[in-house]
Amino acid sequence: MGNLQICDAVEIKNVRIGNSFLGKYCDLVRDTVLPYQWEILNDRIKGKEPSHAVLNFKIAAGLAEGDFYGEVFQDSDLAKWLEAAACCLEAHPDPELENIADGVIEIIEKAQREDGYLDTYFIIGSQEKRWEDLYECHELYCMGHMTEAAVAYYKATGKRRLLDVMIRCADYIDRCFGRESGKLRGYPGHQEIELALVRLYEVTGCERYLALSRYFLEERGRLPNYFVNEWKTSRGRRTFKDNTYVGEPDLLYNQSHRSVYEQESAVGHSVRAMYMYSAMADVARLTDDAAMYQACRALWKDVVCRQMYITGAIGSTHTGEAFTFAYDLPNATAYAETCASIGLIFFASRMLQMDTDGVYGDVMERVLYNVIPGSMSLDGKHFFYVNPQEVWPEASEKNPERFHVKPVRQEWFGCACCPPNLARLFTSLGKYLYSCREDTFYIHLFVSGQVTVKTKHGFFRLNISENYPWSGEIEVTLEEVPSENARIAIRIPGWCREWSLFLDGEESASPVKKGYVWISGGLKAGMRIRLILSMQVELMAADPRVRDDAGKAAIRRGPLIYCLEEIDNGKNLSAIRLDVQSAFCMEERTSPISPETAAVTGRGFRLNEDSWGEELYRPYDAAEKEVTVRAVPYCWWGNRGPGEMMVWIRT
Amino acid sequence: MGNLQICDAVEIKNVRIGNSFLGKYCDLVRDTVLPYQWEILNDRIKGKEPSHAVLNFKIAAGLAEGDFYGEVFQDSDLAKWLEAAACCLEAHPDPELENIADGVIEIIEKAQREDGYLDTYFIIGSQEKRWEDLYECHELYCMGHMTEAAVAYYKATGKRRLLDVMIRCADYIDRCFGRESGKLRGYPGHQEIELALVRLYEVTGCERYLALSRYFLEERGRLPNYFVNEWKTSRGRRTFKDNTYVGEPDLLYNQSHRSVYEQESAVGHSVRAMYMYSAMADVARLTDDAAMYQACRALWKDVVCRQMYITGAIGSTHTGEAFTFAYDLPNATAYAETCASIGLIFFASRMLQMDTDGVYGDVMERVLYNVIPGSMSLDGKHFFYVNPQEVWPEASEKNPERFHVKPVRQEWFGCACCPPNLARLFTSLGKYLYSCREDTFYIHLFVSGQVTVKTKHGFFRLNISENYPWSGEIEVTLEEVPSENARIAIRIPGWCREWSLFLDGEESASPVKKGYVWISGGLKAGMRIRLILSMQVELMAADPRVRDDAGKAAIRRGPLIYCLEEIDNGKNLSAIRLDVQSAFCMEERTSPISPETAAVTGRGFRLNEDSWGEELYRPYDAAEKEVTVRAVPYCWWGNRGPGEMMVWIRT
C-alpha cells in the first residue's frame, strides 16, 4: 500500500456541472425526479403502488397511526432520497427543498428509540425482535443508508440534527456488535453500513466507526458462520416473511461464504457485492490494509474482465439478482440491476482513490453513458429495475424465464430501490469527475462546467467545455493553478485509439501513464488545453468465452454502446446480421436528447423470412437480403414505444 | 369426419421386432430397464432414492405397515411399469415376468376400496379428502395409468383380474363425476384418465367409458371454472403439500383456461397437453366429432410447426415444465421433458389413425431417433428427465436458470415419471410401426422384423429388413397378401428428397400421396419391394422466427440429428462455426452402438481465443482458424463423460 498515491475526491460543492450529456440527467433528476419521488414517498401520486416510507417514520414517531407497510427495507427509500436531496443542496442551495428535508428529519429524529435504534419495521412491529434476523431483515442496511444521508446533509447544510441521530445510532450499533463478550458477533445480511460508517468516520474523525466498519468486513464469512448459527437459533429455521420453515441460508448470496480476504470471484447478489467491495476499498485505503486491497483488485478484475455486460450492467441471473460465473453473460435473461451498476461506480471511484489508473474511469464512463441513463426514461418518471440487454416483448410476456425483463420502463415499483439510488448518483455526480493530490489535478470524466479545488499552495480552478460524447473535442481552460509545479492528468478513454493534445494551440507530445496524459511544467492561469479524441463508429467483439456473444458484434461510438430497435429495423432483430465490411455512419443530429439523435446506419443482411411456410426446419440455405441497419444509443432505447431491442448482433 | 379413413393400429403381438436401431432399444428395455426398474420400485437398489411405489400398495392393502412415501402420483410409476411388462408379455411370453405381474396385481386388488376407489396416497392418508383437490392431487391420473396397465395386461395375457379392478374403479369414477346432480362437475388436474377410458371402452365395448372420457374433455375449461371454484371451496385457498395459502390456480398450466374446442395454441405443462390432445384425437375419431378433430389439427400444427425442437423435444421452459409460445425455442434453457415427447408420439399415432399423412410418421420418427433414445444411456440405467438441447456444464452448476439442465444422465429420480414411460413406449413399439385399413397396409416406420395382420379377405404377412438409419435401403418381402386388390403404402420420410422404388428388382414409378408411396395392383406373395432413400449429411436451418437458431445450422443425416461434443471439438463449442460450403462426410463405422459410430466430419472455423487477454471487449476482427468439426448422433451424446454439447451451430 505504501506505494499507492491516495487522491482526494473533489467535493460536490466545488463542482459546477454545465450543459452536457450527463449534466442534462443531473438537471432532470433535480427538476423532475427528486420532486416526483418526494410525492411518491408521501403516497401523493394517485394510482401508484403506495410507498408508505414517510408514513412509516411518522407512525414510528408516534405522529400517525397505522401499521408498517412495504418491504422490510422501506426506510432506505427515504434515506436515499434524503441523501440525494442533500447532494442537490450542496451544489444548489434551495430553501424550499431544505425546508422539506428539515421537516422529515424532525420526524426521523422522533422515530429513533432512546438507545439509538432506528428501523421503522421493528419499531412499529416487534422491537423485541431487533437483530434476530440479520440475514433477511435489513436493519443495518437501512441504518447505513440513513447514515449516508446524514453525512451528506451535514456536509451540504452544516446542520447536525440528522448527523447526531445517526451518531447515536452508530454508537448503539457499536454497543451491540463486536467480538467483545455480550455483543452479537454478527454482521449485515445486506452490506451497506460498512461504507456508511467510513463516511461517518471521515466527517467526525471518530476512529470507532472505522473500526466497526472493519470489524463487519473482517468478521464476515468466519467459521462457524454467523448466519447458519442465527438460522438455527434466533430464526428457528424459519423465514420472517411468513414464519414458514426454510433451509439453511445461502452464504454465497450475501458473500459470507468465506473471509472477504479470500474472495476472488464476484458471487451472489450483485448489489450486496458492490457495496461490500466499496467498503473493502475504503477500509483498505484508510487502514493501509494491503491484503484487503489485493482482494479488491481480484474482485474488480473478476467483475469488469469476466462478468460485466458491455453496457456496464452486472448480474447475469434474476435468481438472487446475482452474479453467476466468469464469461456467463446471457443477453436475453440478464438481470443487470440498476442499483448494481450504481454500486459499480461506487467501487470504481474508491479504487480510483488508491490508484489513478484509467481503467476505473473507463468503467465509470461505460456505466454512466450506457446502462445508467438507459435505466431512466427521458421524462424522468419511468425506470428500469432490470436493464434488458436484449428484448423480445412477447417472450417477456409469455416465457417465465424472461418475465423479469420488462420491455418498457415502469412508473414505480413496490420494491423501489433503484429510482432513489439513481437520484443520489446524479445529484452527487460532481464527486466522480475529478480528483486531486497535492499539486496534481485529475480529470476522469468529461463534463462541461467548472471546478475549484484548494491545495496546499493555492487553487486549481478549471473550466471544462465539451460536446461529449457527440464530439471528441474537450477544452480545458486553466483559470487558476496553485503553483508552477502543478500538473494536470487527463484520462484518455480506453476506447480511444487516436487522439491529440494541444496546449494553447500547439500540439503537445505529453506522456501517457496508466491511461492518463500528463501535462506538467509551466502550467499557468489562462492556459487552454485542447484534447481531441478521434471518435468513429466501431464494431466490438466480446471475448469468445462469452458464449452468448460469439460471432456477434456490438456497435460503439466513443463511450456509447448502440442497439437495434424494432421501430427502426422491423420485427425479429435476430434475423439481421451486420456486414462487418460496411462503414457505419452517424446520421445528422436533429434534436438534443432523443433516440433519433446520433443514430448510426450501416449495411446488413436479413434472413429471408418470406420464403418460409409452415415447416419449422428445412435444409439450410444462405438466402438473405441486403438491408440498412439503424442503431441508436443504448441509453435511449425504449423511448419510442414497445418493441424488440438488441445490443449484440450477428455478423 | 365422414371423409376420413380410419385405420386400425396393429396389435403388439402381431409384430416381431428384429435386430435394428430401435429394436436394440426394445431389447435393452426388456432385458435391462424393466428388471432394473422392478428392483427400484421395490426399493432393492442400494444407495438410490427409495421409490416405495410397491410398498405404498402393500400398505394400502393392509399387507404392510407404514406411511405413504413419494410424490402424490407415485402409484403411476408402478402402473407404467406394469403396462410396460404387459406389452412385453404380449410380444414375448415370459412366465417369470407374468408371475411377478400377477403377484403385484393381487396386491393392487387388495388395495382397492370396496367402492372401487384406488389411490394409495389417499387410502393410506386421509380417505375423506378424496377428490377435494383435483388440481394438484393426481388421483384420476394414477387411476388412468392403472387402467392403461389393466387393458394392456388383459390384451397380453387374457387375465381379467386387474381389468376388473379398473372396471370397478372406472364405474366408481363414473358415479362420482358428471353433469348429473349429486356428482362432482370436475375433471382431472393432470389429464390421463381420458385416454385410458377410451382404451377401456375399446376393450370392453362399454359406451359409458367413452362418454365419461368425452365428458371430462368437454367439461374442461367451462365457466365458472371448476379449479377456481375448488380452490375457493374444498381447497380453502391452500395447497395440500404444506397447507399454506396459495393464489388462484393457473388455468393455462393444465389447459383448463378455455374449452378444448377453442384451444389453438399449445400452452402449459407439456405432458398434460400431450395426454389431453391424444384423448381428444381418440374421442374425435370414436364419436365422429369434427369440431374436436379440427381442434386437434390446430394444436398439432402449433406444436410441430411452431414449438418443437429439431430433436423432437417439446417444452421451452422449466417453469411449469411448459410450452411458452410460437417460435420460442431457447436451446440453453430448454425443458424438453422425456415424457412430453413420448406423449407427442401418442398424439401423432392417434392423428395418424384418422389421416394417413406422412407428417405424423415424420414426427414419430424424429422423436424415436433423437430425443427419446437420447434420454437413456447406452447401459439402460441412466436417464434424462430434461433433454438438453445445448450444454455448458459450468452453467448447469452455477447459473440457476440452467440448474435443470443436467449435463449427465441420472440414475433415478425421486419424481421418476420418465424412465417407466420410456419402458412402456419401447415395449409397445410394435403398435406404432404399421396400420391397416381393409386391404391397405401402411408402413410408417422402418424396423426390421415381421408383421402379420388379418383382414376381411385374408392375411398380410410382411418381412421387413433394413439397416436404418445407417443405410436408406429398406426391403419388404410380402409373404402373404389378402387379395389381388391389396395395396401397400410406405411412408417416404419428409427428410428424403431423392428415392427410388423397386418391385421385384424393377424400378417402379408408383404414385405418392400425402407422404406415402402407393404400391397397388398385382401384389402377391413372394414379391420383394425395395425402397432406396438417398441419405446425405445435410445442414438444416430453423424458421428465422426461432430467434435462438438464427444464423445457425443443425446437422442431419436421414432421421438423425447430430450434435457437437466437447470431447471431439474442445471446450467452448460456441466459438465454432460451420463452413456451409464444406461437405460433411460420415466416418467409417466401427461398432454397432456407440457415439463413435456414424460420426460425421466437415470443415469449420473457430474464433481465435488465444489472442484474447484480460479485456472482455475489444474492436471486432474476424480472426478465425480452420478446424475439423466432428458431430455425433444426438441420441448418443453424453456417453463419453461430461462436457459441452450443442445442436445448433453458428454458420
Side-chain angles (χ1 to χ4, degrees):
Chain A
M1 288 295 282
N3 58 350
L4 285 179
Q5 305 185 323
I6 305 298
C7 284
D8 296 320
V10 171
E11 301 283 345
I12 298 168
K13 64 169 171 271
N14 296 332
V15 179
R16 194 178 54 71
I17 291 176
N19 187 30
S20 60
F21 180 96
L22 293 179
K24 282 192 172 62
Y25 282 95
C26 295
D27 294 347
L28 187 65
V29 164
R30 198 176 51 244
D31 299 340
T32 304
V33 179
L34 214 58
Y36 176 74
Q37 293 188 352
W38 179 245
E39 296 303 297
I40 292 269
L41 291 169
N42 284 280
D43 312 310
R44 290 196 288 248
I45 305 275
K46 291 257 184 305
K48 297 284 170 304
E49 198 162 343
S51 156
H52 220 262
V54 172
L55 194 51
N56 287 337
F57 275 96
K58 286 185 182 163
I59 296 167
L63 302 170
E65 299 222 320
D67 293 326
F68 178 92
Y69 174 89
E71 301 282 346
V72 68
F73 48 84
Q74 205 78 354
D75 287 3
S76 64
D77 288 355
L78 177 60
K80 286 188 222 167
W81 181 88
L82 205 46
E83 184 185 350
C87 295
C88 220
L89 292 170
E90 185 173 341
H92 299 85
D94 174 344
E96 199 183 331
L97 181 61
E98 191 167 329
N99 205 34
I100 290 173
D102 285 339
V104 80
I105 286 168
E106 201 178 321
I107 298 167
I108 293 166
E109 187 182 45
K110 288 205 173 101
Q112 186 175 37
R113 299 297 91 178
E114 216 165 301
D115 54 12
Y117 185 83
L118 180 60
D119 185 284
T120 70
Y121 178 85
F122 286 97
I123 292 173
I124 297 173
S126 40
Q127 292 198 54
E128 75 286 359
K129 287 187 178 295
R130 284 183 193 183
W131 310 140
E132 281 194 0
D133 188 349
L134 298 180
Y135 185 73
E136 299 177 301
C137 285
H138 289 73
E139 294 152 281
L140 291 166
Y141 171 83
C142 291
M143 294 173 196
H145 273 301
M146 198 57 88
T147 302
E148 288 205 90
V151 170
Y153 199 69
Y154 170 70
K155 287 173 89 164
T157 64
K159 293 180 179 169
R160 290 194 59 99
R161 191 171 201 166
L162 188 58
L163 187 67
D164 288 337
V165 166
M166 296 320 295
I167 284 174
R168 284 195 295 277
C169 183
D171 291 343
Y172 175 67
I173 296 170
D174 195 31
R175 291 197 300 280
C176 292
F177 290 92
R179 299 204 181 87
E180 299 85 354
S181 84
K183 291 186 176 182
L184 285 169
R185 205 161 163 169
Y187 41 88
H190 192 314
Q191 302 90 321
E192 157 65 25
I193 188 73
E194 299 88 336
L195 66 87
L197 286 167
V198 170
R199 296 186 67 185
L200 190 61
Y201 156 71
E202 288 182 317
V203 84
T204 61
C206 173
E207 299 272 353
R208 266 193 307 117
Y209 304 137
L210 179 60
L212 183 56
S213 173
R214 191 188 172 109
Y215 155 78
F216 280 136
L217 290 171
E218 287 195 332
E219 189 61 25
R220 195 169 202 90
R222 290 214 182 185
L223 290 176
N225 187 285
Y226 183 83
F227 294 124
V228 174
N229 193 43
E230 176 191 75
W231 169 74
K232 288 180 185 160
T233 57
S234 61
R235 287 178 62 197
R237 298 175 195 249
R238 289 167 191 263
T239 174
F240 83 100
K241 280 180 199 165
D242 55 10
N243 206 33
T244 53
Y245 288 101
V246 288
E248 202 159 316
D250 177 4
L251 305 180
L252 281 171
Y253 173 67
N254 70 9
Q255 299 85 29
S256 64
H257 56 301
R258 62 172 65 149
S259 160
V260 299
Y261 289 102
E262 290 163 10
Q263 298 196 24
E264 292 177 333
S265 307
V267 295
H269 188 259
S270 52
V271 177
R272 284 171 164 79
M274 287 304 119
Y275 288 9
M276 181 174 89
Y277 305 163
S278 298
M280 285 167 67
D282 278 337
V283 169
R285 173 171 55 88
L286 293 168
T287 67
D288 208 27
D289 185 339
M292 194 168 287
Y293 178 62
Q294 284 314 317
C296 289
R297 297 262 297 182
L299 290 165
W300 171 267
K301 202 161 128 182
D302 192 57
V303 172
V304 306
C305 301
R306 297 191 280 264
Q307 299 204 63
M308 180 181 67
Y309 289 93
I310 196 168
T311 58
I314 49 176
S316 298
T317 174
H318 73 103
T319 307
E321 309 180 315
F323 287 108
T324 56
F325 65 99
Y327 306 109
D328 183 40
L329 292 162
N331 291 304
T333 55
Y335 196 69
E337 185 180 342
T338 304
C339 287
S341 286
I342 292 173
L344 182 54
I345 291 181
F346 298 162
F347 185 25
S349 69
R350 282 158 172 87
M351 292 301 282
L352 190 54
Q353 280 188 276
M354 291 184 278
D355 182 16
T356 38
D357 187 321
V359 297
Y360 301 112
D362 284 347
V363 167
M364 292 202 296
E365 184 177 88
R366 188 187 289 276
V367 171
L368 281 168
Y369 283 85
N370 297 290
V371 64
I372 288 299
S375 74
M376 191 161 56
S377 62
L378 293 172
D379 67 4
K381 294 183 178 175
H382 298 78
F383 305 91
F384 279 131
Y385 187 107
V386 164
N387 292 280
Q389 306 295 300
E390 185 170 315
V391 166
W392 181 10
E394 195 172 5
S396 291
E397 187 195 335
K398 295 178 181 170
N399 183 326
E401 268 58 78
R402 294 167 80 164
F403 283 174
H404 65 287
V405 180
K406 303 293 176 214
V408 290
R409 294 175 183 81
Q410 312 288 298
E411 291 199 317
W412 193 257
F413 321 94
C415 171
C417 55
C418 297
N421 226 354
L422 265 180
R424 68 183 186 130
L425 176 73
F426 278 112
T427 54
S428 65
L429 187 70
K431 67 180 177 186
Y432 301 106
L433 310 181
Y434 314 106
S435 50
C436 186
R437 190 181 62 82
E438 295 170 3
D439 282 356
T440 303
F441 188 84
Y442 295 88
I443 301 178
H444 308 305
L445 297 166
F446 310 120
V447 178
S448 287
Q450 203 178 48
V451 54
T452 311
V453 180
K454 192 169 184 232
T455 75
K456 208 158 37 173
H457 303 106
F459 282 91
F460 273 112
R461 186 189 315 277
L462 282 69
N463 252 318
I464 291 95
S465 166
E466 46 76 19
N467 186 25
Y468 194 76
W470 317 121
S471 153
E473 278 195 47
I474 293 115
E475 197 165 282
V476 180
T477 309
L478 307 187
E479 302 202 333
E480 224 176 317
V481 285
S483 77
E484 277 190 9
N485 298 323
R487 300 184 297 177
I488 307 260
I490 309 179
R491 184 179 132 263
I492 303 297
W495 55 261
C496 182
R497 292 197 276 186
E498 275 179 48
W499 54 275
S500 45
L501 184 80
F502 297 86
L503 302 179
D504 280 336
E506 274 192 42
E507 187 153 8
S508 154
S510 299
V512 174
K513 212 175 72 184
K514 288 171 89 173
Y516 286 80
V517 57
W518 286 76
I519 306 152
S520 51
L523 290 192
K524 54 181 190 291
M527 199 168 162
R528 298 170 73 137
I529 302 168
R530 221 166 115 234
L531 176 65
I532 303 179
L533 307 169
S534 165
M535 218 183 247
Q536 280 101 30
V537 181
E538 274 193 298
L539 298 187
M540 301 297 292
D543 186 306
R545 285 168 289 190
V546 180
R547 308 301 206 259
D548 224 32
D549 299 341
K552 295 179 183 170
I555 301 169
R556 190 196 66 191
R557 184 180 176 278
L560 293 181
I561 302 298
Y562 280 70
C563 66
L564 307 194
E565 286 198 81
E566 182 178 330
I567 193 171
D568 297 314
N569 300 282
K571 263 207 187 313
N572 194 3
L573 301 176
S574 295
I576 294 172
R577 74 177 174 90
L578 301 177
D579 178 356
V580 296
Q581 308 304 330
S582 158
F584 279 78
C585 298
M586 191 159 148
E587 291 175 12
E588 209 166 314
R589 295 179 50 216
T590 48
S591 75
I593 289 198
S594 126
E596 298 288 342
T597 300
V600 301
T601 51
R603 192 171 56 196
F605 300 94
R606 197 180 234 289
L607 293 172
N608 206 339
E609 290 159 300
D610 310 336
S611 70
W612 283 78
E614 284 198 353
E615 262 187 318
L616 192 49
Y617 306 105
R618 71 179 191 195
Y620 182 89
D621 71 71
E624 293 177 319
K625 56 185 176 197
E626 196 178 313
V627 291
T628 296
V629 177
R630 187 168 195 248
V632 298
Y634 171 81
C635 57
W636 292 339
W637 85 272
N639 278 287
R640 294 174 293 166
E644 295 181 35
M645 184 277 287
M646 181 172 274
V647 172
W648 287 98
I649 309 139
R650 293 191 300 112
T651 58
Chain B
M1 290 294 283
N3 60 349
L4 286 179
Q5 304 186 322
I6 305 299
C7 284
D8 297 320
V10 170
E11 302 284 344
I12 297 168
K13 64 169 170 270
N14 297 331
V15 178
R16 194 177 54 69
I17 290 176
N19 187 30
S20 60
F21 178 96
L22 293 179
K24 283 193 172 62
Y25 282 95
C26 296
D27 294 347
L28 187 65
V29 164
R30 198 176 52 243
D31 299 339
T32 303
V33 179
L34 215 57
Y36 176 73
Q37 294 189 351
W38 179 244
E39 296 304 298
I40 292 269
L41 290 169
N42 284 280
D43 312 310
R44 289 195 289 247
I45 305 277
K46 292 259 182 305
K48 298 282 170 303
E49 197 160 345
S51 157
H52 220 261
V54 172
L55 193 52
N56 286 337
F57 275 96
K58 285 185 183 164
I59 296 166
L63 302 170
E65 299 220 320
D67 293 328
F68 178 92
Y69 174 89
E71 301 283 345
V72 68
F73 47 84
Q74 205 77 354
D75 287 3
S76 64
D77 287 356
L78 177 60
K80 285 187 222 166
W81 182 87
L82 205 47
E83 184 184 351
C87 295
C88 219
L89 291 171
E90 185 172 341
H92 300 84
D94 173 346
E96 198 183 333
L97 180 61
E98 191 168 329
N99 205 31
I100 290 172
D102 285 339
V104 80
I105 286 168
E106 202 179 319
I107 298 167
I108 294 166
E109 187 182 44
K110 287 204 174 103
Q112 186 175 37
R113 300 296 90 179
E114 217 165 301
D115 54 14
Y117 185 84
L118 181 59
D119 184 281
T120 70
Y121 178 85
F122 286 96
I123 292 174
I124 297 173
S126 40
Q127 291 199 54
E128 74 287 0
K129 287 188 177 295
R130 284 182 193 184
W131 311 139
E132 281 194 359
D133 188 349
L134 297 181
Y135 185 73
E136 299 177 300
C137 285
H138 289 75
E139 293 153 281
L140 291 166
Y141 171 82
C142 290
M143 294 173 194
H145 273 300
M146 198 57 87
T147 302
E148 287 204 272
V151 170
Y153 199 69
Y154 169 71
K155 286 173 88 165
T157 64
K159 293 179 180 170
R160 290 194 60 98
R161 191 170 198 168
L162 187 58
L163 187 68
D164 288 336
V165 167
M166 295 320 294
I167 284 174
R168 283 195 296 276
C169 183
D171 291 343
Y172 175 68
I173 297 169
D174 195 31
R175 290 197 302 278
C176 293
F177 291 93
R179 298 203 180 87
E180 299 84 354
S181 83
K183 291 186 176 183
L184 287 168
R185 204 160 162 168
Y187 40 88
H190 192 315
Q191 302 90 321
E192 157 64 27
I193 189 73
E194 299 88 337
L195 66 86
L197 286 166
V198 170
R199 296 185 68 186
L200 191 62
Y201 157 71
E202 288 182 317
V203 84
T204 61
C206 174
E207 299 272 353
R208 266 192 307 117
Y209 304 138
L210 179 60
L212 182 58
S213 172
R214 191 185 171 109
Y215 155 78
F216 280 136
L217 290 171
E218 288 194 332
E219 190 61 26
R220 195 168 201 90
R222 290 214 181 184
L223 289 175
N225 186 285
Y226 183 83
F227 293 124
V228 174
N229 193 44
E230 176 190 75
W231 169 74
K232 289 180 185 160
T233 56
S234 61
R235 287 179 60 198
R237 297 174 197 250
R238 289 167 190 262
T239 174
F240 83 100
K241 280 180 199 166
D242 54 10
N243 207 31
T244 54
Y245 288 101
V246 289
E248 201 158 317
D250 177 5
L251 305 180
L252 281 171
Y253 173 66
N254 71 9
Q255 299 86 30
S256 64
H257 57 300
R258 62 173 65 149
S259 160
V260 299
Y261 289 102
E262 289 162 10
Q263 299 196 22
E264 291 177 334
S265 307
V267 295
H269 187 258
S270 52
V271 177
R272 283 170 165 80
M274 287 303 119
Y275 288 9
M276 182 175 89
Y277 305 163
S278 298
M280 286 167 67
D282 277 337
V283 168
R285 172 172 56 88
L286 293 167
T287 67
D288 209 27
D289 185 338
M292 195 168 286
Y293 178 62
Q294 284 314 318
C296 289
R297 297 261 300 180
L299 290 164
W300 170 268
K301 203 161 125 182
D302 191 57
V303 172
V304 306
C305 301
R306 296 192 281 262
Q307 300 203 62
M308 179 181 68
Y309 289 93
I310 197 168
T311 57
I314 49 176
S316 298
T317 174
H318 72 103
T319 307
E321 311 180 314
F323 288 108
T324 56
F325 65 99
Y327 306 110
D328 183 40
L329 292 163
N331 291 305
T333 55
Y335 196 69
E337 185 181 342
T338 304
C339 286
S341 286
I342 292 173
L344 182 53
I345 292 182
F346 299 161
F347 185 25
S349 69
R350 282 158 171 88
M351 292 301 282
L352 188 56
Q353 280 188 275
M354 291 184 279
D355 181 16
T356 37
D357 186 321
V359 297
Y360 301 111
D362 284 347
V363 167
M364 292 201 295
E365 184 177 89
R366 187 187 289 278
V367 171
L368 282 167
Y369 283 85
N370 297 290
V371 66
I372 288 300
S375 74
M376 191 160 57
S377 62
L378 293 171
D379 67 4
K381 293 182 179 175
H382 298 78
F383 305 91
F384 279 132
Y385 187 107
V386 164
N387 293 280
Q389 306 295 300
E390 186 170 312
V391 167
W392 181 9
E394 196 172 5
S396 291
E397 186 195 336
K398 296 178 181 169
N399 183 325
E401 268 57 78
R402 293 167 80 164
F403 283 175
H404 64 288
V405 180
K406 304 292 177 214
V408 289
R409 295 175 183 82
Q410 312 288 298
E411 290 200 316
W412 192 257
F413 321 94
C415 171
C417 56
C418 296
N421 226 352
L422 265 181
R424 66 184 188 130
L425 177 73
F426 278 113
T427 54
S428 65
L429 187 70
K431 67 182 178 185
Y432 301 106
L433 310 181
Y434 314 105
S435 51
C436 186
R437 190 181 62 81
E438 294 169 2
D439 282 356
T440 303
F441 189 84
Y442 295 88
I443 300 178
H444 308 305
L445 297 165
F446 309 121
V447 177
S448 287
Q450 202 178 48
V451 53
T452 310
V453 181
K454 191 170 184 233
T455 74
K456 206 158 41 173
H457 303 106
F459 283 90
F460 272 113
R461 186 188 315 276
L462 282 69
N463 251 317
I464 290 94
S465 164
E466 47 76 19
N467 186 23
Y468 194 75
W470 316 121
S471 154
E473 278 194 48
I474 293 116
E475 197 165 283
V476 180
T477 309
L478 308 187
E479 302 201 333
E480 226 177 314
V481 286
S483 76
E484 279 190 7
N485 298 322
R487 299 184 298 178
I488 308 261
I490 308 179
R491 184 179 132 263
I492 303 297
W495 56 260
C496 182
R497 293 198 274 187
E498 274 180 48
W499 54 276
S500 47
L501 183 80
F502 297 87
L503 302 179
D504 281 335
E506 275 193 40
E507 187 153 8
S508 154
S510 299
V512 174
K513 213 176 72 183
K514 289 171 87 173
Y516 287 78
V517 57
W518 287 76
I519 305 151
S520 50
L523 291 192
K524 56 180 189 292
M527 198 168 161
R528 298 170 73 137
I529 302 168
R530 221 165 115 235
L531 176 66
I532 302 179
L533 307 169
S534 166
M535 218 181 248
Q536 278 101 30
V537 182
E538 273 192 299
L539 298 187
M540 301 297 294
D543 187 307
R545 286 169 289 191
V546 180
R547 308 299 205 262
D548 224 32
D549 299 340
K552 295 180 183 170
I555 300 170
R556 189 195 67 190
R557 184 178 177 279
L560 293 182
I561 301 298
Y562 280 70
C563 66
L564 307 194
E565 287 198 80
E566 182 178 330
I567 193 171
D568 297 315
N569 299 283
K571 264 207 187 314
N572 194 3
L573 301 176
S574 295
I576 295 172
R577 74 176 174 91
L578 301 177
D579 178 356
V580 296
Q581 307 305 328
S582 158
F584 279 77
C585 298
M586 190 160 150
E587 292 174 11
E588 207 167 315
R589 296 178 51 215
T590 48
S591 75
I593 289 198
S594 128
E596 298 288 341
T597 300
V600 300
T601 51
R603 193 171 57 196
F605 300 94
R606 196 178 235 289
L607 293 173
N608 206 339
E609 291 160 299
D610 310 336
S611 70
W612 283 77
E614 283 198 351
E615 263 188 318
L616 192 48
Y617 306 105
R618 72 178 192 196
Y620 182 89
D621 70 70
E624 291 177 319
K625 57 184 176 197
E626 196 179 313
V627 290
T628 295
V629 177
R630 187 168 196 250
V632 297
Y634 171 82
C635 57
W636 292 339
W637 84 272
N639 277 287
R640 294 173 294 166
E644 295 182 35
M645 184 277 287
M646 181 172 275
V647 171
W648 286 97
I649 309 139
R650 294 190 300 112
T651 59

